[in-house]
C-alpha cells in the first residue's frame, strides 16, 4: 500500500495535474554543482530531483552500503561543497538534490518519512572504501545540522548516515505480486528491499566492523527517565508522530506530540520550532474548554514532546465519515434533516470556540475536520496549534489543508472564517478539495449542499466577503462549472468537451507520459491501461473519437521502453497496450508485446486488473479474432488454475485475493469462466464461474437499508473495482446463462448502490462514472430518474477550461484524463450509457 504522503510529491510541479517532481521550477535555486564544469572523466545526469555524478570507468556492484548526508537548507550548499570535494577527488559516484527548492520540498512536513532528510547519496564500491570515506566525510561535515534519517544508521552525532541497499534498479514481486525494489540474497534470489522509516539490516548481512560503535550507540539509546509510556500511534508526519501515552507514575492518559530537530521544514520553521509555537499558543489559551490542557514539554534522546490532555471524542472528519447519509444508511428526508441539525450544532460550537480563541488575541489558521475533536456531547476541542498566530499578523501566508485554506493575502481572521465555512461545507458535502479547481466551485458546491439538505440561504456560516470577492475576481472570462450539464440532451457537447480536453493535454514530445493522469503513472509507466496512454486511446476509440497516429506511435515506443519485470498485468502492465493495439488494427506490434509479456512470466495475482484473469481474458479476445486455438488453450489452462484456487484455496503460482470485486477479487476469474463457457459450451466453466462469484458474495455485507456492499476492512464499497457494483455486473453476465435466485437477489440489492446521491470522486473505477455505467446495465425503467440525476451530478466535479472539459482524479488533488480516475473513464462510461446500450462489453477492453 502506498504511503499516504506519496502523492503529495507529485503535486509540487503543477497546480492542475499530477506531475513528476523533476519538473518543478527551481532554476533560480540550483546548487552550482548542478551545472558547473566537472573534472575530466566525470559525467553528469539527471534523475528526477537528483543530479547524478559518475566517474568514467568506475563500475559499482548491484548493492552495498550507501552513505547518506542530511542537511538543512541553511547549510546545504556548504555541506555539498565539502562533501563533493572529497568525492570528486576520490572518484566515488554520488548524487544530490539539485536545488534549495528540491531540498525544501523533500523536507516538508507532509513528505514521506522513509526518505526524508537525504540530501547527498554516496555509493562506495567496497566496504574498505566505505570505511575510508566515513573517515573523511564525518570530520568534514561535523557540526552541520541535518535531520536524522529514520531509515538509516547515523554515524556519530552529525549528518552522516548509512544504509544497505541496491545501487542499481533491481525488481521483484512483493507479497501482493506487485513489482518493488529488490536486493539479491547470497543465494542469488531477489527479495524486496524494504524501505521503511526504521533502520534494519537484511537477515543475511553482517555489518562491517567500522559500523559497530554506531550500532552499539543505537542499541544503547533509550528513553530512560522519560515520564510517559507510549501506548499507540495516532498519526505520523515527516516532523514527528502523535501518540497516546500514559504517565508512568500517575497512569494519566495523554497525547504526546513529537517533533524531530531539523525535520518537517516549512517556509520558516522546523518541527521543533512549530511545537514550541504550539506550546506558547496553548499557554495563552489556558483555561478555555475548547483547547487541550498542557502538561509540559519534554526532551527524550533528541526528540521533543509536548504532553497534552487526551480529549474523549473523535475527529470531526471521522464523525462525518461515520454519520454521513450515503447509500447503505438511511437517506430519507428525516435522516437528512437530523444530520443537518447535528452539523449545525457542531459548527455552532466550533464558531464559539474560534470566537473564544480570537478574544485571547490569537487566530488558529489551520481549521479543518482532522483538527477538530468532537466530544460525546457535540462540544468541540481544537488541536494542532502549530500555525497559530497573533490576530494582527499581516504575513498573509496561505496556510491549511487543500480546500480549507483561503487565498494568499487573506488576513488571519478571514482565513479562520473561510476555514470555518469550508469545514461546514465538508460536513454537508465531503469533497471540499474540489473547491480549489475553480473560483466558482465553492458557490456551486454550497448550492448543491443546501439543495440536498433543504437549507435556507441564511443557515450556516458565510464565506468572508473579501475572500469570496478575491475568488470571484479570478474567474474572469473562464467558463463556469455551474453551467456544465451532463444530461442526455447535452451529451454531444459534453462529449466534445471531454475529447477536446484530452487532446489539449497531450504531450507527445515527452517520453514519460502522453496524457496527465493519476500520480501512479510515473511508477507504472505512462503506457498503461489504467493510468497511461493505452487507457486514454482505448476510451477515445470506443467513443468513436479520432485517435491521431502520433498517439499510437507514442504508445508503441513507450511499450518498447517499459521494464520487462513489470510487463504482466492488463491494467497496470504491457498487456493492456497489446489489447489496445489489437483493437486499433496494429496486430503485429501487439503480438510482439504479448511475446514479451509471456517471456516475463505470469502474474501471481488472480484478478482482472493485474492478474491471471486479465491475461486469460485477453487471450480469449485474441482467439476470437484470429480463430487460433492456441490462445484459447492457454486461457483454459489459466482458468483451470483459477478454478483450483477457488476450490482449494491455493494453486501453484497464484495468490488468493485479499478483497472482493471485479478488478481485484474473484469476479474477474468468474468473468473469464463465463466467457469460456460462451466460447466452448462446457458446463464446467459455468459451474466454476458460480463458485468464484460465491467467494466474492461472501465478502459483501447487507447494509442497514437492505443494499449490499463489499467489505474491505472497516469500509463498505459499492464501486466497479473493489465494490458490489463490479461483482453485480459479472453476476448479471452469469444470469444470462443460468437461473440463480441468490445471484439475482445480489444484483437486485447491489443496484441501488449505483444511484448514490453523493459520490466523492467522478472516476470510472472508484467513482460516479463507474456507478452510472453500472446502473445503466443493472437497473430497469424504475431507475431511469435516479440514473439521470446521478449523471447530472457529475457537474459537481466538472472543471471547464478554455481548451476543454476536465475532471479531478484520485483524492480530488489534481485533474486527470486517464481511464481509471479521469475524463477518459468518464467519456467511456457516458458513451456506454448513451451509445453503448448499457453493455458490459462497451466498458471493458476484452470484448
Amino acid at each position: 500500500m502506498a504511503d499516504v504522503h506519496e502523492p503529495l510529491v507529485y503535486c509540487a510541479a503543477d497546480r492542475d495535474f499530477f506531475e513528476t517532481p523533476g519538473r518543478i521550477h527551481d532554476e533560480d535555486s540550483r546548487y552550482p554543482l548542478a551545472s558547473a564544469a566537472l573534472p575530466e572523466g566525470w559525467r553528469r545526469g539527471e534523475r528526477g530531483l537528483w543530479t547524478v555524478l559518475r566517474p568514467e570507468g568506475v563500475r559499482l556492484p548491484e548493492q552495498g552500503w550507501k552513505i547518506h548526508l542530511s542537511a538543512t537548507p541553511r547549510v546545504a550548499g556548504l555541506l555539498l561543497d565539502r562533501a563533493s570535494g572529497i568525492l570528486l577527488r576520490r572518484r566515488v559516484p554520488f548524487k544530490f538534490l539539485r536545488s534549495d527548492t528540491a531540498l525544501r520540498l523533500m523536507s516538508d512536513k507532509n513528505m514521506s518519512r522513509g526518505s526524508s532528510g537525504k540530501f547527498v547519496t554516496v555509493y562506495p564500491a567496497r566496504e574498505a572504501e566505505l570505511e575510508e570515506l566515513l573517515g573523511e566525510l564525518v570530520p568534514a561535515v561535523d557540526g552541520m545540522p541535518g535531520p536524522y534519517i529514520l531509515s538509516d544508521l547515523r554515524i556519530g552525532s552529525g549528518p552522516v548516515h548509512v544504509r544497505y541497499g541496491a545501487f542499481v534498479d533491481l525488481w521483484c514481486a512483493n507479497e501482493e505480486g506487485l513489482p518493488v525494489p529488490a536486493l539479491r540474497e547470497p543465494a542469488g534470489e531477489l527479495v524486496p528491499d524494504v524501505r521503511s522509516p526504521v533502520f534494519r539490516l537484511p537477515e543475511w548481512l553482517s555489518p562491517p566492523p567500522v559500523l559497530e560503535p554506531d550500532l552499539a550507540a543505537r542499541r544503547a539509546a533509550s528513553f530512560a527517565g522519560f515520564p510517559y509510556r507510549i501506548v499507540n500511534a495516532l498519526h505520523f508526519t515527516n516532523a514527528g508522530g502523535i501518540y497516546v501515552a500514559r504517565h508512568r507514575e500517575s497512569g494519566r492518559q495523554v497525547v504526546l506530540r513529537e517533533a524531530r530537530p531539523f525535520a518537517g521544514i516549512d517556509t520558516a520553521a522546523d518541527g521543533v520550532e512549530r511545537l514550541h509555537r504550539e506550546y506558547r499558543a496553548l499557554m495563552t489559551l489556558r483555561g478555555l474548554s475548547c483547547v487541550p490542557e498542557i502538561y509540559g514539554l519534554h526532551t527524550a534522546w533528541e526528540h521533543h514532546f509536548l504532553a497534552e490532555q487526551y480529549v474523549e471524542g473523535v475527529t470531526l472528519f471521522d464523525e462525518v465519515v461515520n454519520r454521513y447519509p450515503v447509500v447503505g444508511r438511511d437517506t430519507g428526508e428525516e435522516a437528512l434533516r437530523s444530520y443537518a441539525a447535528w452539523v449545525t450544532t457542531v459548527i455552532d460550537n466550533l464558531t464559539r470556540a474560534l470566537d473564544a480563541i480570537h478574544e485571547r488575541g490569537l487566530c488558529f489558521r489551520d481549521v479543518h475536520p482532522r483538527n477538530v475533536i468532537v466530544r460525546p456531547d457535540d462540544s468541540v476541542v481544537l488541536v494542532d496549534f502549530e500555525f497559530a498566530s497573533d490576530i494582527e499578523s499581516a504575513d498573509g501566508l496561505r496556510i491549511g489543508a487543500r480546500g480549507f485554506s483561503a487565498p494568499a493575502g487573506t488576513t488571519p481572521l478571514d482565513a479562520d472564517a473561510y476555514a470555518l465555512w469550508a469545514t461546514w461545507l465538508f460536513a454537508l458535502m465531503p469533497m471540499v478539495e474540489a473547491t480549489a479547481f475553480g473560483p466558482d466551485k465553492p458557490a456551486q458546491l454550497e448550492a448543491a449542499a443546501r439543495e440536498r439538505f433543504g437549507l435556507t440561504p441564511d443557515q450556516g456560516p458565510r464565506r468572508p466577503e473579501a475572500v469570496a470577492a478575491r475568488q470571484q475576481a479570478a474567474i474572469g472570462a473562464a467558463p463556469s462549472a455551474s453551467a456544465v450539464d451532463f444530461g442526455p440532451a447535452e451529451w454531444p457537447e459534453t462529449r466534445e468537451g471531454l475529447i477536446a480536453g484530452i487532446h489539449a493535454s497531450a504531450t507527445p514530445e515527452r517520453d514519460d507520459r502522453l496524457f496527465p493522469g493519476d500520480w501512479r503513472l510515473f511508477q507504472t509507466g505512462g503506457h498503461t491501461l489504467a493510468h497511461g496512454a493505452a487507457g486514454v486511446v482505448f476510451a477515445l476509440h470506443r467513443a468513436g473519437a479520432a485517435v491521431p497516429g502520433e498517439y499510437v506511435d507514442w504508445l508503441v515506443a513507450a511499450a518498447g521502453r517499459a521494464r520487462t519485470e513489470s510487463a504482466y498485468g492488463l491494467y497496470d502492465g504491457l498487456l493492456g497496450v497489446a489489447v489496445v493495439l489489437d483493437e486499433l488494427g496494429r496486430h503485429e506490434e501487439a503480438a510482439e508485446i504479448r511475446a514479451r509479456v509471456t517471456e516475463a512470466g505470469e502474474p501471481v495475482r488472480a484478478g482482472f486488473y493485474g492478474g491471471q484473469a486479465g491475461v486469460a481474458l485477453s487471450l480469449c479476445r485474441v482467439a476470437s479474432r484470429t480463430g487460433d486455438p492456441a490462445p484459447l488453450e492457454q486461457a483454459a489452462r489459466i482458468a483451470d488454475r483459477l478454478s483450483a484456487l477457488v476450490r482449494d484455496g491455493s494453486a501453484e503460482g497464484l495468490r488468493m485475493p485479499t478483497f472482493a470485486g471485479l478488478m481485484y477479487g474473484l469476479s474477474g476469474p468468474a468473468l473469464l469462466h463465463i466467457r469460456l463457457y460462451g466460447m466452448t459450451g462446457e458446463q464446467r466453466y459455468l459451474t466454476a464461474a458460480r463458485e468464484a462469484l460465491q467467494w466474492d458474495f461472501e465478502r459483501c455485507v447487507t447494509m442497514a437499508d437492505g443494499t449490499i456492499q463489499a467489505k474491505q476492512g472497516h469500509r463498505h464499497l459499492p464501486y466497479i473495482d473493489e465494490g458490489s457494483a463490479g461483482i453485480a455486473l459479472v453476476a448479471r453476465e452469469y444470469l444470462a446463462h443460468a437461473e440463480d435466485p441468490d445471484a439475482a437477489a445480489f444484483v437486485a440489492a447491489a443496484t441501488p448502490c449505483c444511484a448514490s446521491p453523493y459520490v466523492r470522486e467522478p472516476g470510472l473505477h472508484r467513482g460516479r462514472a463507474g456507478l452510472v455505467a453500472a446502473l445503466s446495465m443493472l437497473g430497469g425503467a424504475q431507475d431511469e430518474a435516479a440514473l439521470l440525476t446521478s449523471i447530472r451530478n457529475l457537474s459537481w466535479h466538472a472543471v471547464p477550461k478554455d481548451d476543454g472539459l476536465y475532471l479531478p482524479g484520485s483524492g480530488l488533488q489534481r485533474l486527470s484524463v486517464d481511464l481509471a480516475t479521469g475524463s477518459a473513464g468518464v467519456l467511456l462510461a457516458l458513451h456506454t450509457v448513451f451509445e453503448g446500450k448499457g453493455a458490459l462489453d462497451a466498458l471493458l477492453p476484452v470484448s
Side-chain angles (χ1 to χ4, degrees):
M1 181 177 293
D3 185 323
V4 295
H5 299 294
E6 196 167 3
L8 298 179
V9 74
Y10 297 97
C11 293
D14 194 295
R15 67 178 185 178
D16 289 329
F17 301 111
F18 286 113
E19 184 57 275
T20 175
R23 298 177 76 91
I24 62 172
H25 300 292
D26 63 348
E27 292 79 8
D28 293 342
S29 69
R30 298 274 179 103
Y31 296 113
L33 189 58
S35 58
L38 296 176
E40 184 178 354
W42 280 83
R43 293 182 179 179
R44 179 188 289 112
E46 296 287 334
R47 188 168 185 174
L49 292 171
W50 297 87
T51 294
V52 183
L53 299 183
R54 298 185 179 93
E56 296 175 358
V58 174
R59 295 181 59 85
L60 288 175
E62 286 185 330
Q63 59 199 44
W65 286 97
K66 303 177 183 181
I67 300 174
H68 290 127
L69 307 180
S70 65
T72 64
R74 183 170 60 84
V75 302
L78 176 60
L79 181 142
L80 179 59
D81 287 345
R82 291 187 179 181
S84 62
I86 295 169
L87 300 172
L88 291 169
R89 172 173 51 80
R90 296 184 61 95
R91 292 178 55 79
V92 179
F94 67 102
K95 67 179 182 179
F96 60 93
L97 287 172
R98 69 193 190 195
S99 67
D100 177 80
T101 301
L103 177 59
R104 290 180 183 276
L105 171 63
M106 300 308 294
S107 301
D108 185 85
K109 173 183 176 181
N110 292 314
M111 291 298 110
S112 173
R113 296 187 304 141
S115 59
S116 176
K118 297 174 183 176
F119 174 53
V120 179
T121 302
V122 184
Y123 300 94
R126 303 169 305 281
E127 287 188 0
E129 189 173 51
L130 168 72
E131 182 172 0
E132 293 168 2
L133 284 170
L134 290 177
E136 288 197 59
L137 287 171
V138 170
V141 299
D142 186 43
M144 294 188 182
Y148 184 95
I149 301 175
L150 296 175
S151 61
D152 287 23
L153 172 68
R154 185 158 66 182
I155 306 301
S157 59
V160 182
H161 303 72
V162 298
R163 176 186 178 274
Y164 192 88
F167 286 3
V168 298
D169 286 340
L170 299 173
W171 298 87
C172 69
N174 66 5
E175 293 182 355
E176 298 176 352
L178 300 172
V180 294
L183 290 172
R184 194 178 301 279
E185 290 186 319
E189 180 182 358
L190 291 175
V191 296
D193 182 7
V194 179
R195 300 178 179 183
S196 63
V198 176
F199 174 70
R200 54 165 55 92
L201 291 170
E203 295 179 359
W204 40 267
L205 182 68
S206 297
V210 67
L211 301 182
E212 280 301 332
D214 299 289
L215 287 166
R218 178 182 176 84
R219 289 190 292 267
S222 71
F223 278 34
F226 189 62
Y228 294 98
R229 175 177 55 85
I230 292 175
V231 176
N232 66 282
L234 298 176
H235 180 63
F236 287 109
T237 71
N238 188 18
I242 302 175
Y243 310 92
V244 176
R246 289 193 179 276
H247 195 274
R248 295 184 184 276
E249 295 181 0
S250 69
R252 179 173 58 192
Q253 187 167 247
V254 303
V255 169
L256 292 178
R257 307 183 76 87
E258 176 192 33
R260 300 192 298 119
F262 315 121
I265 297 173
D266 63 17
T267 56
D270 66 2
V272 172
E273 185 173 342
R274 288 196 304 275
L275 188 77
H276 285 259
R277 182 191 301 160
E278 176 164 7
Y279 174 77
R280 293 191 296 271
L282 290 176
M283 288 293 291
T284 300
L285 300 172
R286 290 183 77 173
L288 294 181
S289 63
C290 59
V291 301
E293 294 182 42
I294 53 173
Y295 304 131
L297 281 167
H298 304 273
T299 302
W301 188 34
E302 52 188 56
H303 294 200
H304 295 238
F305 293 88
L306 175 59
E308 299 179 354
Q309 174 190 4
Y310 178 85
V311 179
E312 292 290 343
V314 298
T315 67
L316 178 57
F317 179 91
D318 289 333
E319 195 76 334
V320 169
V321 169
N322 293 334
R323 289 174 177 255
Y324 194 77
V326 292
V327 167
R329 301 171 183 162
D330 185 356
T331 56
E333 291 300 319
E334 181 56 37
L336 295 180
R337 282 194 295 270
S338 176
Y339 179 79
W342 172 78
V343 170
T344 297
T345 297
V346 172
I347 295 300
D348 284 348
N349 289 336
L350 179 56
T351 302
R352 284 189 285 271
L354 287 170
D355 288 344
I357 291 170
H358 295 161
E359 288 174 3
R360 295 282 183 99
L362 294 181
C363 284
F364 187 70
R365 302 189 75 181
D366 195 18
V367 180
H368 62 80
R370 295 184 191 274
N371 281 348
V372 179
I373 305 294
V374 181
R375 292 190 177 107
D377 64 356
D378 290 334
S379 62
V380 302
V381 175
L382 285 156
V383 296
D384 196 356
F385 281 78
E386 64 182 21
F387 292 112
S389 70
D390 291 340
I391 204 166
E392 300 297 334
S393 173
D395 62 22
L397 293 176
R398 187 168 194 169
I399 294 171
R402 180 179 175 86
F404 298 89
S405 58
T410 302
T411 67
L413 270 177
D414 278 347
D416 274 1
Y418 182 83
L420 172 68
W421 170 85
T423 300
W424 167 77
L425 182 60
F426 169 86
L428 298 173
M429 186 75 73
M431 48 183 289
V432 173
E433 296 91 338
T435 60
F437 286 114
D440 62 340
K441 271 295 176 190
Q444 182 193 15
L445 293 182
E446 179 177 346
R450 289 186 183 279
E451 179 181 2
R452 185 182 184 204
F453 290 95
L455 300 178
T456 62
D458 61 335
Q459 291 179 279
R462 296 285 178 273
R463 271 191 300 163
E465 292 184 5
V467 176
R470 185 177 285 115
Q471 292 173 325
Q472 200 66 30
I475 294 178
S480 171
S482 59
V484 177
D485 193 327
F486 282 80
E490 294 77 19
W491 165 235
E493 182 180 353
T494 302
R495 176 183 179 276
E496 292 311 308
L498 291 168
I499 292 170
I502 289 171
H503 288 315
S505 66
T507 54
E509 70 279 4
R510 292 178 57 168
D511 287 343
D512 57 343
R513 61 105 158 134
L514 177 57
F515 302 101
D518 187 79
W519 61 274
R520 293 174 182 83
L521 77 84
F522 296 109
Q523 297 184 340
T524 58
H527 58 281
T528 63
L529 194 60
H531 303 305
V536 180
V537 168
F538 169 72
L540 288 172
H541 180 70
R542 282 289 175 92
V547 178
E550 66 177 342
Y551 292 0
V552 186
D553 293 340
W554 189 98
L555 189 56
V556 171
R561 294 189 296 266
R563 296 194 313 262
T564 303
E565 61 269 17
S566 62
Y568 47 72
L570 180 60
Y571 279 87
D572 60 354
L574 281 170
L575 186 58
V577 179
V579 168
V580 172
L581 290 177
D582 257 336
E583 182 148 327
L584 295 172
R586 305 277 286 260
H587 302 305
E588 183 176 338
E589 290 147 318
E592 291 174 358
I593 293 172
R594 278 195 300 275
R596 287 182 61 195
V597 171
T598 301
E599 184 179 344
E602 292 173 337
V604 300
R605 290 170 286 169
F608 183 43
Y609 185 93
Q612 292 195 20
V615 173
L617 279 163
S618 71
L619 291 168
C620 290
R621 190 178 190 276
V622 173
S624 295
R625 179 180 62 80
T626 63
D628 183 354
L632 187 61
E633 292 170 0
Q634 186 180 351
R637 288 193 293 272
I638 292 174
D640 288 342
R641 286 200 298 272
L642 290 166
S643 181
L645 178 69
V646 177
R647 184 177 60 251
D648 304 329
S650 63
E652 185 177 355
L654 275 172
R655 294 190 177 120
M656 185 64 81
T658 305
F659 301 113
L662 169 60
M663 291 294 174
Y664 305 105
L666 290 186
S667 290
L671 182 62
L672 167 64
H673 295 311
I674 294 167
R675 293 295 164 86
L676 286 171
Y677 171 74
M679 297 176 74
T680 68
E682 295 184 32
Q683 183 64 33
R684 66 189 181 97
Y685 290 123
L686 205 57
T687 300
R690 185 61 180 83
E691 291 172 348
L693 277 171
Q694 185 62 34
W695 191 91
D696 272 9
F697 288 167
E698 291 173 358
R699 280 145 187 85
C700 296
V701 295
T702 301
M703 308 296 289
D705 64 351
T707 61
I708 286 181
Q709 297 187 34
K711 184 172 177 56
Q712 188 186 95
H714 65 281
R715 300 184 298 167
H716 301 95
L717 304 178
Y719 303 114
I720 287 277
D721 63 348
E722 294 177 278
S724 53
I727 301 169
L729 288 174
V730 180
R732 173 179 173 270
E733 295 282 299
Y734 171 79
L735 289 168
H737 303 286
E739 293 186 5
D740 189 315
D742 290 340
F746 183 94
V747 172
T751 300
C753 296
C754 303
S756 177
Y758 163 79
V759 183
R760 176 168 160 78
E761 295 182 7
L764 177 64
H765 283 190
R766 188 169 291 193
R768 188 180 290 279
L771 294 178
V772 160
L775 184 60
S776 73
M777 300 177 213
L778 301 173
Q782 73 279 5
D783 297 302
E784 288 182 4
L787 175 62
L788 291 177
T789 297
S790 194
I791 290 172
R792 285 198 161 96
N793 286 345
L794 278 167
S795 66
W796 296 348
H797 295 94
V799 182
K801 292 179 175 292
D802 292 335
D803 59 6
L805 181 61
Y806 298 86
L807 295 105
S810 297
L812 307 180
Q813 294 291 312
R814 291 293 187 271
L815 302 176
S816 169
V817 305
D818 72 23
L819 181 69
T821 71
S823 50
V826 174
L827 173 68
L828 182 61
L830 294 181
H831 168 77
T832 300
V833 173
F834 294 131
E835 301 176 47
K837 310 304 181 186
L840 184 58
D841 282 355
L843 201 64
L844 301 180
V846 291
S847 57

